Amino acid sequence: MASRLKFENSCEVGVFSRLTNAYCLVAAGGAENFVSVFEAELAGVIPVVRASIGGTRIVGRLCVGNKNGLLLPHTTTDQELQHLKNSLPDQVVVQRIDERLSALGNCIACNDHVALTNPDLTKETEELISDVLGVEVFRQTIAGNILVGSFCTFSNKGGLVHPRTSVEDLDELSTLLQVPLVAGTVNRGSEVIASGMAVNDWAAFCGSDTTATELSVVESVFRLRDGRPGALGADVRKSLVESCFV
Amino acid sequence: MSGGRKRPAPAPFAGFSPFARSLLFSPASGYCKLPLPNASAAADGPHQENAGMPPPPPKRAKQAEPSSDDEERHSSDADGASGSDSDSSLECSSSDGDDASQELETVQADFAFFDPKPSDFHGVRLLLKTYLDSKPWDLTGFVDLILEQTTVGTVVKMADDEEEEGEGNGGDKGDGGNDDDLFGLITVLNLGRYGENRCIKDLKEYLLAVCGNKDSEKKLKSLLEEKASSVGLLVCRRFVNFPYEMVPKLYDSLFDEVSWATEDEPTQELQDSFRFKQYLLVARILERKTNPKHNAKNNKDDDEEPVIYPKLEDEIFRELSSWSFTFPIRADQSAQQEMKNYKEMGLVMCVKAEAIPKFRKRLEALVSE
């Protein structure tokens, strides 16, 4: 199910949180009502961890992860790294990487199987992504923009991309990612999809400015009406799925 | 500007928009000068005005951080050269000329004033994000309210954005001109007329809650309740590097629109809603923290200003106000080094409408110094 919330008057939920199928990171020090919405949906299923990265609250844009691992930028302090290692489940590999482009969340978009990356990332980073996150890495641009992590977001069930992505690009990406994709917006026309929302296989959180239309698109492309985690028809990755328009 | 008065150092020019980034990363690209918007005023509608005068001769550039490899400057179709020259010499004080080989690049930029439109939603929302404190309130509703009031209210954008959309009417809007960045906003909202809107109710509740002073609380309460229909909430927000030459024009355009509205609005009720007797302002200031450790070094403290006004006209407003109060801001304070002795505070002021002509004169004088 999709929920709408705000972080201190900002609708950029994806900036202050990082949601995956195995854990959820939220900005430390923010108001309690932000974290409580996450906890209401996720508590008991996956841990909701309050964290900061490099002393900042923009955890969603600085780190990237999936159920296999979490990648942190070089600005992460040792205490923060240790805190995350302690709080996350054991099977999640937490790794701090040395990449000049430190806003990993803006450069990399991934689910549990595939990752799209900024073409400017170094080879070592790509290899690390592939090792730690256990994904296949593709260098791509979205609607001519190199910040793939900002302008698209996808889970194992579906994805939402920048509204001005062409139909050919949409088809190509959908084939690469093996999930249905839709070009759309969140937060009342904001094109920065990933900053405006956080999503995993069974829950989505959008900014409170998201219109009902946008929310229904999110719910349908991410298949959120299907029920609780690990529910029916889980693995559709094997079957080739064409892009799906709602 | 008056000598000895310390203005907070201009913040480094952040690349917050595609336009700004193009300035930062392409020093060699001259921005081609557009024909004055006046020439195409007919196409753009009766209310579009630019900041009046013919463009001044190029000013000396304002240097950004030494690490960035070029200069950028804003010129505006504003006051005559004399005002801009003295201004630019002050603005250039941060340029130490530490890189002798650096050329002073001048980039021309034309700003223009427009009526608020629904497509300005994201820009206005960004400007108003820090209007009140971090406690959630109906900001979206507030932005919608401002955008609906097209007769009184002005937004400041780059001059060519509107032209692109006007020409591409009916067809697809140009990709580049889409994220039209708002640089500034000014408007005034009648608290009585909009009293039933949730955003205004949230605002009133918030102001009454943060008011610590019993005396001011009484006055505020009467302003917000009995006298609300003659009170205007004056909202002026802009980015920190907004050129000061345009500020008097911004206020002039607002007060002119208010006086036109008292005649042009369709109904008597609407006309009366713009006959404000008082203006309410919510602003931010920086107050020096009283640090007991510093008492020993008294002379050092005297060099620092007790209060810094990020928007200079707020100081004039405060002096002309009938009453005002400050309240602490709980949101994250900025970690700038020079500002570490200062605490960010909110400032609420009530200014009588009769004081406005005095304000306009003093603002004009301040900017032309």
Side-chain angles (χ1 to χ4, degrees):
Chain A
M1 277 314 298
S3 327
R4 279 186 271 208
L5 70 163
K6 274 204 265 209
F7 180 87
E8 286 187 7
N9 284 317
S10 168
C11 292
E12 307 298 318
V13 174
V15 170
F16 299 102
S17 65
R18 167 60 64 178
L19 179 60
T20 69
N21 289 325
Y23 54 88
C24 176
L25 301 183
V26 290
E32 273 310 305
N33 51 13
F34 182 70
V35 189
S36 61
V37 178
F38 283 93
E39 286 177 340
E41 270 297 310
L42 307 169
V45 188
I46 57 175
V48 177
V49 181
R50 285 168 183 67
S52 66
I53 296 184
T56 69
R57 305 187 296 179
I58 50 172
V59 292
R61 301 294 89 214
L62 292 181
C63 74
V64 67
N66 60 15
K67 71 169 167 40
N68 302 317
L70 175 70
L71 290 175
L72 299 167
H74 62 87
T75 52
T76 317
T77 65
D78 293 332
Q79 295 97 310
E80 290 165 348
L81 183 62
Q82 196 53 48
H83 167 67
L84 284 167
K85 283 192 168 151
N86 294 341
S87 322
L88 295 182
D90 291 330
Q91 67 268 28
V92 177
V93 180
V94 179
Q95 175 103 349
R96 183 169 52 188
I97 67 178
D98 211 357
E99 162 64 56
R100 183 182 63 94
L101 302 173
S102 54
L104 299 176
N106 285 337
C107 295
I108 305 161
C110 71
N111 62 9
D112 292 336
H113 309 289
V114 188
L116 294 183
T117 66
N118 183 338
D120 291 344
L121 290 182
T122 62
K123 208 80 188 70
E124 300 94 82
T125 308
E126 267 188 41
E127 284 165 15
L128 267 166
I129 296 171
S130 154
D131 284 338
V132 174
L133 301 183
V135 293
E136 215 179 324
V137 178
F138 296 104
R139 294 164 170 242
Q140 272 291 329
T141 62
I142 303 260
N145 227 296
I146 56 173
L147 294 178
V148 289
S150 302
F151 291 104
C152 82
T153 182
F154 53 97
S155 69
N156 296 324
K157 303 255 201 82
L160 190 63
V161 299
H162 189 286
R164 275 200 284 276
T165 313
S166 67
V167 176
E168 301 81 40
D169 281 355
L170 211 52
D171 281 343
E172 186 190 331
L173 282 169
S174 186
T175 317
L176 268 179
L177 303 176
Q178 306 269 293
V179 292
L181 294 179
V182 144
T185 63
V186 292
N187 285 337
R188 205 166 144 166
S190 168
E191 302 174 338
V192 198
I193 312 290
S195 298
M197 62 182 288
V199 67
N200 70 5
D201 284 355
W202 70 87
F205 301 89
C206 301
S208 55
D209 278 351
T210 310
T211 63
T213 320
E214 291 170 336
L215 208 61
S216 70
V217 171
V218 163
E219 285 188 349
S220 75
V221 77
F222 288 103
R223 318 279 201 82
L224 295 173
R225 300 191 190 113
D226 286 354
R228 306 307 298 161
L232 2 139
D235 196 34
V236 291
R237 192 177 81 85
K238 298 281 191 291
S239 56
L240 183 68
V241 181
E242 307 292 344
S243 52
C244 136
F245 294 95
V246 181
Chain B
M1 316 278 170
S2 54
R5 190 57 54 97
K6 189 165 96 166
R7 196 170 102 189
F13 187 59
F16 54 78
S17 70
F19 165 69
R21 282 190 286 279
S22 71
L23 289 183
L24 281 174
F25 297 125
S26 51
S29 71
Y31 188 88
C32 66
K33 203 64 171 50
L34 298 161
L36 286 178
N38 281 329
S40 54
D44 292 308
H47 283 293
Q48 184 221 320
E49 32 176 18
N50 73 0
M53 326 278 234
K59 301 193 297 189
R60 279 162 51 216
K62 178 164 85 172
Q63 186 169 3
E65 321 167 24
S67 54
S68 80
D69 59 348
D70 53 315
E71 328 275 314
E72 72 279 333
R73 78 159 187 88
H74 299 284
S75 102
S76 53
D77 305 339
D79 303 325
S82 57
S84 15
D85 276 345
S86 58
D87 230 356
S88 64
S89 61
L90 261 169
E91 286 173 348
C92 288
S93 60
S94 59
S95 76
D96 298 337
D98 43 9
D99 194 345
S101 61
Q102 239 171 315
E103 297 231 348
L104 283 178
E105 292 272 347
T106 56
V107 179
Q108 302 227 10
D110 283 331
F111 293 94
F113 294 178
F114 299 99
D115 285 340
K117 284 199 332 269
S119 58
D120 296 328
F121 177 78
H122 289 285
V124 174
R125 196 180 196 287
L126 186 66
L127 284 171
L128 288 170
K129 210 176 276 213
T130 49
Y131 189 55
L132 300 182
D133 204 349
S134 52
K135 180 161 168 268
W137 66 294
D138 187 21
L139 176 59
T140 306
F142 191 61
V143 175
D144 285 335
L145 206 62
I146 292 178
L147 296 176
E148 275 162 15
Q149 196 179 268
T150 51
T151 48
V152 171
T154 301
V155 295
V156 185
K157 293 197 272 214
M158 299 305 299
D160 63 332
D161 274 348
E162 289 290 291
E163 288 177 28
E164 267 190 56
E165 290 190 42
E167 284 156 19
N169 224 359
D172 49 14
K173 302 198 171 159
D175 279 17
N178 183 359
D179 286 315
D180 27 338
D181 303 302
L182 255 69
F183 292 92
L185 157 82
I186 193 168
T187 188
V188 64
L189 300 171
N190 183 308
L191 288 180
R193 177 179 172 192
Y194 299 114
E196 290 309 303
N197 292 63
R198 212 185 102 210
C199 53
I200 297 295
K201 284 193 184 144
D202 282 350
L203 184 103
K204 289 183 181 177
E205 224 177 272
Y206 174 79
L207 290 179
L208 285 168
V210 290
C211 181
N213 187 330
K214 279 277 182 249
D215 208 24
S216 306
E217 190 170 351
K218 254 187 281 187
K219 295 190 190 141
L220 182 66
K221 219 167 170 161
S222 85
L223 209 67
L224 296 178
E225 285 163 20
E226 297 105 48
K227 305 198 200 140
S229 51
S230 63
V231 177
L233 179 73
L234 206 160
V235 181
C236 178
R237 309 285 292 178
R238 49 187 201 257
F239 281 112
V240 287
N241 45 11
F242 195 80
Y244 264 96
E245 298 84 6
M246 291 201 282
V247 174
K249 299 266 181 294
L250 203 58
Y251 280 96
D252 283 348
S253 79
L254 179 77
F255 293 120
D256 286 346
E257 282 187 317
V258 166
S259 66
W260 295 335
T262 58
E263 292 155 30
D264 295 340
E265 286 284 351
T267 71
Q268 181 64 29
E269 200 187 332
L270 285 176
Q271 287 177 13
D272 288 339
S273 75
F274 288 105
R275 295 202 167 92
F276 299 113
K277 297 213 186 82
Q278 332 225 30
Y279 290 98
L280 188 66
L281 287 95
V282 180
R284 293 281 175 102
I285 57 172
L286 294 158
E287 271 187 3
R288 194 172 61 213
K289 293 183 201 166
T290 46
N291 197 335
K293 281 193 290 203
H294 277 201
N295 279 342
K297 315 177 193 165
N298 268 334
N299 40 1
K300 184 179 177 194
D301 267 359
D302 288 345
D303 288 348
E304 295 182 349
E305 297 280 337
V307 183
I308 292 185
Y309 295 87
K311 289 185 7 242
L312 294 178
E313 72 271 15
D314 287 341
E315 190 172 9
I316 308 178
F317 271 128
R318 196 177 190 183
E319 284 169 27
L320 295 173
S321 63
S322 357
W323 54 266
S324 66
F325 67 87
T326 59
F327 58 91
I329 295 284
R330 243 167 284 143
D332 262 10
Q333 310 279 326
S334 79
Q336 275 185 313
Q337 184 56 25
E338 11 178 76
M339 296 296 150
K340 65 175 162 57
N341 292 333
Y342 289 86
K343 189 171 180 331
E344 198 174 12
M345 306 280 285
L347 170 67
V348 178
M349 313 181 262
C350 172
V351 180
K352 283 207 175 55
E354 293 92 40
I356 293 300
K358 235 185 286 177
F359 163 76
R360 288 166 84 162
K361 273 206 211 71
R362 283 181 62 177
L363 180 65
E364 195 72 49
L366 186 69
V367 170
S368 54
E369 271 174 41

